[in-house]
Amino acid sequence: MTGYSCALAGHNYEFSGLADVMARASPQRSGDDLAGVAAGNEQERVAAAYVLSEIPLSEFLCTPLIPYEDDEITRLILDTHDADAFAPIAHMAVGEFRDFLLDYGTDERVLESLRAGITPEMAAAVSKLMRNQDLISVARKCRVTTRFRNTIGLPGHLSSRLQPNHPTDDPQGIAISVLEGLLYGVGDAVIGINPATDSVRRAGELLRLFDEMVQRHEIPTQTCVLTHVTNTISAIEAGAPVDLVFQSIAGTQRANAGFGVNLSLLHEAHEAALSLRRGTLGTDCMYFETGQGSALSADAHHGIDQQTLEARAYGVARHFAPLLVNTVVGFIGPEYLYDGRQIRRAGLEDHFCGKLLGLPMGCDVCYTNHAEADQNDSDDLLTLLTAAGCTYFMGVPGADDVMLEYQSTSFHDIAYARELFGLRPAPEFHEWLLRQGVVAADGRLQELPVEHHLLALARS
């Protein structure tokens, strides 16, 4: 692999190859420090960014960060690359690509035409040269629309996942959380629960619980039990009402093996979900979650920085045309993203890369209880990502997940973001909220009478 060098302020900096340049050009984060791939100081980081800015985009096609023969994610990225879509930017270096993305003339239509020609590594590289405002400005120009039982990602709309997790999967406790979320206008992206146990039988019970709620009240949304993909396949075979197939994914074959998945298994699950034909408006039926640091935590990072590997996970996701993708940005812990500042930067990077690659990108704006972060940091990132056109956020009762024991965003936070930016839920879901009297004609939430039929959810 070709080495690179840069003379800066009387010092000559040497970089062993493309992966080394990428890692040392990354903004500081604890995971890269832990992996031993980060820049030693800010001056070296600037030197690496300068070198990176002059590397041709075509270099990422000629020099895979993980060898083609060693990694199925590399093979997927290169084998599905669209040379025709890449042609308009093929002559550019990374720095020129940044300028091109920020140009006023590079609009939604142009960015959509380029998607299939941009590799995850290209997206990661250009993000490392961007300030936060750059990441926001470009991501806002990227529009990605998906459909299952409603339409996600339209301009002027902000969706949300209703996350009614319960430490014992108690049906009454879950129903109460669902009710509260619906009364805040939350749940148009998905009503999705992380089950407390790894049981196919319990997954089936939860799926039937949700399906009965949705069918009885004619709610135009989709449901999901966030269990392992093999459990979902088994549930489908057992006749469970599966809308979306969920799976956590990473950016290397070895890291995905740690999750117990590969591309073949994901393809099998995708085909199984499609065979059910449960979507009324579309067939986008996959739901993926990611997060910076997952490959490093599995000792499967190949010496590559965690943000670049996160972008490679998006290369996996877009192959399956998902309804939803989100980065669980602070969930792994301070070993990978130390504090609110690093979490904020990572969230903006992830959203930018996902949108640039054509994904319906959401974010779980979250942190663990031992991170140097608090709810004010979450408020900041939530607001910045809403400005950037984020597709959806999590709605957790009180922002405190009592099953997973981490801090996320609340139902009220979703209402705040929509009110602040003049946004509404998915149009079909918004019409349902209007019919139920949950929102007024101006889109604002309103109180329901105590005898309203939705309150039956808490008693069912």
Side-chain angles (χ1 to χ4, degrees), residues 362-430:
C363 184
D364 190 344
V365 177
C366 63
Y367 59 93
T368 58
N369 291 319
H370 63 309
E372 292 294 323
D374 60 24
Q375 215 62 36
N376 289 320
D377 294 305
S378 291
D379 288 348
D380 293 345
L381 181 53
L382 173 73
T383 305
L384 292 172
L385 283 171
T386 306
C390 191
T391 302
Y392 72 105
F393 297 107
M394 307 300 116
V396 176
D400 183 0
D401 193 301
V402 295
M403 196 279 284
L404 293 175
E405 297 185 342
Y406 79 115
Q407 307 305 311
S408 185
T409 46
S410 69
F411 302 148
H412 177 269
D413 293 332
I414 305 301
Y416 149 79
R418 287 173 175 160
E419 174 72 16
L420 183 65
F421 288 90
L423 303 172
R424 294 184 175 182
E428 301 86 356
F429 192 82
H430 179 70

Side-chain angles (χ1 to χ4, degrees), residues 122-143:
M122 294 175 195
V126 74
S127 76
K128 297 175 191 300
L129 304 183
M130 290 182 158
R131 293 170 56 186
N132 288 356
Q133 66 174 245
D134 300 338
L135 298 172
I136 293 168
S137 296
V138 176
R140 188 171 180 83
K141 295 192 288 186
C142 300
R143 285 292 170 187

Side-chain angles (χ1 to χ4, degrees), residues 149-150 188 214 218-222 428-430 432 435:
R149 288 206 195 97
N150 56 28
D188 55 324
V214 167
E218 299 181 324
I219 307 172
T221 190
Q222 36 283 326
E428 301 86 356
F429 192 82
H430 179 70
W432 180 82
R435 293 196 300 273

Side-chain angles (χ1 to χ4, degrees), residues 146-148 189-190 222-224 229 232-233 236 242-249 261-274 282-289 316-326 359-360 392:
T146 57
R147 293 176 176 85
F148 191 76
V190 64
Q222 36 283 326
T223 67
C224 184
V229 65
T232 303
I233 292 172
I236 291 173
V242 173
D243 288 343
L244 305 185
V245 172
F246 166 81
Q247 183 56 48
S248 294
I249 55 173
V261 298
N262 55 38
L263 297 178
S264 176
L265 181 60
L266 294 177
H267 178 75
E268 178 185 348
H270 187 212
E271 290 299 311
L274 287 173
T283 59
D284 303 321
C285 58
M286 300 296 281
Y287 173 15
F288 295 114
E289 286 190 345
V316 176
R318 72 172 172 178
H319 183 64
F320 294 95
L323 180 77
L324 304 168
V325 179
N326 73 268
L359 290 176
Y392 72 105

Side-chain angles (χ1 to χ4, degrees), residues 18-329:
L18 188 54
D20 192 33
V21 172
M22 293 272 282
R24 297 183 191 280
S26 296
Q28 184 180 14
R29 62 210 58 202
S30 52
D32 290 340
D33 291 335
L34 179 66
V37 300
N41 52 52
E42 287 302 316
Q43 190 165 308
E44 184 182 23
R45 186 169 285 113
V46 170
Y50 181 83
V51 170
L52 182 61
S53 72
E54 296 192 326
I55 293 175
L57 293 177
S58 57
E59 186 73 14
F60 294 95
L61 300 174
C62 303
T63 312
L65 301 184
I66 305 174
Y68 183 91
E69 60 274 11
D70 294 343
D71 186 88
E72 67 173 358
I73 311 306
T74 298
R75 294 193 290 274
L76 175 69
I77 291 168
L78 295 179
D79 291 349
T80 59
H81 181 256
D82 188 328
D84 291 335
F86 180 60
I89 58 173
H91 64 285
M92 295 182 187
V94 177
E96 293 172 311
F97 187 41
R98 172 189 176 274
D99 295 341
F100 169 80
L101 292 174
L102 289 167
D103 190 280
Y104 292 143
T106 304
D107 58 15
E108 175 185 346
R109 178 189 57 81
V110 173
L111 291 171
E112 183 175 0
S113 71
L114 294 174
R115 286 174 185 167
I118 301 171
T119 69
E121 292 85 352
M122 294 175 195
V126 74
S127 76
K128 297 175 191 300
L129 304 183
M130 290 182 158
R131 293 170 56 186
N132 288 356
Q133 66 174 245
D134 300 338
L135 298 172
I136 293 168
S137 296
V138 176
R140 188 171 180 83
K141 295 192 288 186
C142 300
R143 285 292 170 187
V144 182
T145 305
T146 57
R147 293 176 176 85
F148 191 76
R149 288 206 195 97
N150 56 28
T151 308
I152 306 294
L154 292 172
H157 296 266
L158 173 65
S159 293
S160 56
R161 168 187 161 191
L162 204 171
Q163 185 170 312
N165 293 351
H166 191 280
T168 63
D169 289 338
D170 176 69
Q172 178 108 4
I174 292 169
I176 291 171
S177 292
V178 171
L179 166 64
E180 184 185 10
L182 292 173
L183 297 181
Y184 273 96
V186 171
D188 55 324
V190 64
I191 301 175
I193 189 169
N194 300 87
T197 62
D198 187 25
S199 162
V200 176
R201 179 185 61 81
R202 177 56 59 87
E205 292 170 352
L206 292 171
L207 286 164
R208 284 185 284 274
L209 170 68
F210 286 154
D211 189 57
E212 195 276 332
M213 289 180 182
V214 167
Q215 298 302 327
R216 186 203 313 175
H217 297 282
E218 299 181 324
I219 307 172
T221 190
Q222 36 283 326
T223 67
C224 184
V225 173
L226 281 71
T227 187
H228 192 270
V229 65
T230 53
N231 287 346
T232 303
I233 292 172
S234 295
I236 291 173
E237 292 171 346
V242 173
D243 288 343
L244 305 185
V245 172
F246 166 81
Q247 183 56 48
S248 294
I249 55 173
T252 74
Q253 180 177 331
R254 276 169 37 196
N256 281 326
F259 285 139
V261 298
N262 55 38
L263 297 178
S264 176
L265 181 60
L266 294 177
H267 178 75
E268 178 185 348
H270 187 212
E271 290 299 311
L274 287 173
S275 72
L276 298 181
R277 303 178 183 271
R278 291 179 58 83
T280 55
L281 296 182
T283 59
D284 303 321
C285 58
M286 300 296 281
Y287 173 15
F288 295 114
E289 286 190 345
T290 66
Q292 288 194 29
S294 58
L296 175 58
S297 68
D299 193 25
H301 59 100
H302 297 269
I304 301 168
D305 70 272
Q306 63 186 42
Q307 189 257 333
T308 297
L309 293 180
E310 172 74 1
R312 281 171 54 94
Y314 305 155
V316 176
R318 72 172 172 178
H319 183 64
F320 294 95
L323 180 77
L324 304 168
V325 179
N326 73 268
T327 169
V328 193
V329 68

